[in-house]
């Protein structure tokens, strides 16, 4: 994607009228690289897929001097969608703290959203920062080794100070705005949880689905927090059914 203010990868056919593009939004401190397995699977099914590195992360690290907060990331992504895609709403697929970004985007720019798919939605406002960090550590052994390598490299690129600042922004958003943003979402929303996810609990994932006007929840067996990496075929099939109007 060009002229949108940040780096993004493309997969599948070019976006076209009448068929929403799929935009895959990464979590805290990461890049879009860990969405590549899902992007390729969706593209193989004929979808146009865009995978951005949000400002301050990955190949977009130099776009900003400091880690933006959640709402600024949402507005930057909205601006990129308006400039880089044809008119019409997109299917937004996000993981972890990326779910907070797309929830803010859907609340603030509803015309840009066709469907939301929230994979391992984080952060749960009822858990402290220390507890959230502990859940992240507990999840790591449940993820594929290849994911840990990708994530470790991305965290180094983003840098520990920016990761820490982004975590503070995410905690603040979770406490102050995440649930309010979800309550304003009008697009059909699917909250997906890997059955082994230690970060997004069953109860919290169900609450996310209940907060939106048209929400559904689904578990994926054999996956953890990054279900899009650990089970891309299963998640792609869910997304395809959901966007075709089959939430179950």
């Amino acid at each position: 994607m060009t002229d949108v203010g940040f780096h993004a990868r493309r997969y599948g056919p070019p976006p076209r009228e009448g068929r929403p593009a799929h935009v895959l939004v990464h979590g805290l401190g990461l890049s879009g690289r860990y969405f590549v397995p899902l992007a390729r699977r969706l593209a193989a099914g004929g979808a146009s897929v865009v995978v951005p590195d949000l400002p301050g992360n990955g190949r977009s690290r130099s776009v900003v001097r400091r880690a933006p907060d959640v709402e600024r990331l949402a507005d930057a992504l909205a601006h990129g969608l308006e400039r880089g895609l044809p008119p019409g709403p997109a299917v937004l697929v996000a993981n972890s703290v990326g779910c907070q970004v797309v929830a803010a985007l859907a609340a603030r720019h509803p015309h840009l959203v066709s469907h939301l798919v929230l994979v391992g939605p984080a952060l749960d406002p009822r858990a402290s920062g220390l507890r959230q960090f502990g859940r992240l550590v507990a999840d790591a052994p449940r993820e594929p080794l290849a994911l840990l390598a990708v994530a470790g490299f991305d965290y180094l690129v983003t840098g520990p100070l920016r990761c820490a600042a982004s975590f503070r922004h995410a905690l603040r958003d979770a406490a102050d705005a995440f649930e309010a943003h979800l309550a304003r979402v009008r697009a059909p929303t699917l909250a997906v949880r890997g059955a082994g996810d230690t970060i997004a609990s069953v109860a919290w994932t169900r609450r996310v689905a209940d907060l939106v006007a048209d929400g559904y929840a689904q578990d994926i067996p054999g996956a953890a927090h990054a279900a899009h990496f650990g089970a891309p075929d299963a998640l792609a099939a869910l997304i395809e059914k959901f966007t075709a109007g089959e939430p179950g």
Side-chain angles (χ1 to χ4, degrees), residues 230-241:
D233 291 342
L235 180 55
L238 276 180
I239 293 170
E240 289 164 351
K241 286 179 60 179

Side-chain angles (χ1 to χ4, degrees), residues 44-63:
S48 174
V49 185
V50 179
V51 187
D53 288 359
L54 295 177
N57 297 269
R59 294 188 181 182
S60 301
R61 188 186 188 284
S62 62
V63 170

Side-chain angles (χ1 to χ4, degrees), residues 88-153:
V91 177
L92 299 184
V93 182
N95 172 240
S96 197
V97 171
C99 297
Q100 294 178 231
V101 175
V102 300
L105 188 155
R108 295 160 69 88
H109 309 276
H111 64 289
L112 295 175
V113 183
S114 166
H115 295 73
L116 284 184
V117 180
L118 308 178
V119 184
L123 300 169
D124 180 349
R126 289 155 186 76
S128 67
L130 184 60
R131 188 175 180 186
Q132 301 277 12
F133 182 76
R135 289 176 175 180
L136 175 63
V137 173
D139 183 75
R142 302 179 179 216
E143 303 287 359
L145 288 176
L147 173 65
L148 300 182
V150 170
F153 179 83

Side-chain angles (χ1 to χ4, degrees), residues 121 124-126 131 135 179 191 193 197 199-211 217 219:
D124 180 349
R126 289 155 186 76
R131 188 175 180 186
R135 289 176 175 180
E179 290 181 306
R193 177 183 178 272
D197 190 346
I199 298 172
S201 68
V202 173
W204 169 242
T205 304
R206 298 298 186 273
R207 176 165 174 76
V208 167
D210 289 342
L211 280 168
D219 286 355

Side-chain angles (χ1 to χ4, degrees), residues 31-75:
S31 75
R33 293 192 308 142
Y34 78 147
F35 263 115
V36 168
L38 178 62
R40 288 175 173 164
R41 170 60 179 77
L42 290 170
S48 174
V49 185
V50 179
V51 187
D53 288 359
L54 295 177
N57 297 269
R59 294 188 181 182
S60 301
R61 188 186 188 284
S62 62
V63 170
V64 292
R65 295 181 61 185
R66 297 179 180 178
D69 63 22
V70 168
E71 290 191 348
R72 288 183 180 178
L73 286 175
D75 289 345

